[in-house]
Amino acid sequence: MGKSGPAYVMTPDETLGWAYLQAKVIKGVLTWNTPLGRVSVDRLRDHVKARVRYQHGRVAVTEEVTTNGYVAQTPVSLTQARLFTMDKTAQHQILILCLKAIRFADRTHTDPFGYTRKLLWQYPGQLSARNLGQQDVLPIDAQIRVKVHLRGEG
């Protein structure tokens, strides 16, 4: 039987961040307000490239989250410059969600991403469960890069 500890529940933002980091977003939606009105982006899908390595007693993770979607609502007509600005705003929002999920994992000493398990599979000879000592889960150092590609509906 495996160890069981206290149960932790992620907030909705942390859950969304986890979904982006795990490439589980299929029909995502982001909305935000601008001085001119509300912007809504939908049909978001993401792909993730992740690299996990062991470094100084921590899990060092580099993730690249690439997200595609469509602008569903905008208060003004779309131009390339406005679309670029919307890409950047969506990137920022997704990055914040991802960082919230990473902070949750570090704060609760959990690994909802499976990074420690990936390390054990990658380095079976050098790193084993008993080499981790009393730690079941290692602290996470994450570098996250988010790319967003939005298109207009028309």
Side-chain angles (χ1 to χ4, degrees):
M1 292 187 131
K3 295 181 184 179
S4 65
Y8 296 102
V9 178
M10 289 182 159
T11 65
D13 281 354
E14 292 164 345
T15 303
L16 280 171
W18 173 87
Y20 278 104
L21 290 170
Q22 296 296 296
K24 302 287 186 193
V25 176
I26 297 173
K27 293 182 181 179
V29 175
L30 287 176
T31 58
W32 62 88
N33 292 317
T34 68
L36 299 174
R38 187 176 190 89
V39 174
S40 179
V41 177
D42 65 6
R43 290 185 276 163
L44 292 170
R45 296 183 64 92
D46 76 329
H47 306 282
V48 175
K49 291 181 189 175
R51 180 176 174 223
V52 180
R53 50 198 192 287
Y54 180 75
Q55 202 169 48
H56 307 294
R58 300 178 72 81
V59 177
V61 180
T62 304
E63 291 213 33
E64 184 175 296
V65 179
T66 304
T67 307
N68 298 302
Y70 293 88
V71 177
Q73 175 185 349
T74 180
V76 293
S77 62
L78 278 179
T79 63
Q80 281 302 112
R82 287 187 181 128
L83 199 55
F84 179 78
T85 302
M86 289 178 190
D87 283 350
K88 294 298 177 195
T89 303
Q91 285 174 7
H92 183 72
Q93 281 196 349
I94 292 169
L95 179 61
I96 288 171
L97 294 171
C98 293
L99 292 175
K100 284 181 179 183
I102 295 289
R103 278 190 227 112
F104 168 86
D106 277 339
R107 184 178 70 248
T108 58
H109 305 287
T110 58
D111 187 5
F113 313 103
Y115 294 147
T116 303
R117 184 183 34 144
K118 288 177 188 173
L119 278 178
L120 292 172
W121 278 99
Q122 284 179 351
Y123 307 104
Q126 300 168 350
L127 189 65
S128 66
R130 65 176 176 268
N131 290 353
L132 297 177
Q134 297 299 317
Q135 293 178 300
D136 290 329
V137 176
L138 297 171
I140 301 168
D141 281 333
Q143 291 183 350
I144 301 169
R145 181 181 309 144
V146 178
K147 295 180 182 178
V148 174
H149 306 287
L150 298 176
R151 295 174 196 83
E153 287 288 343

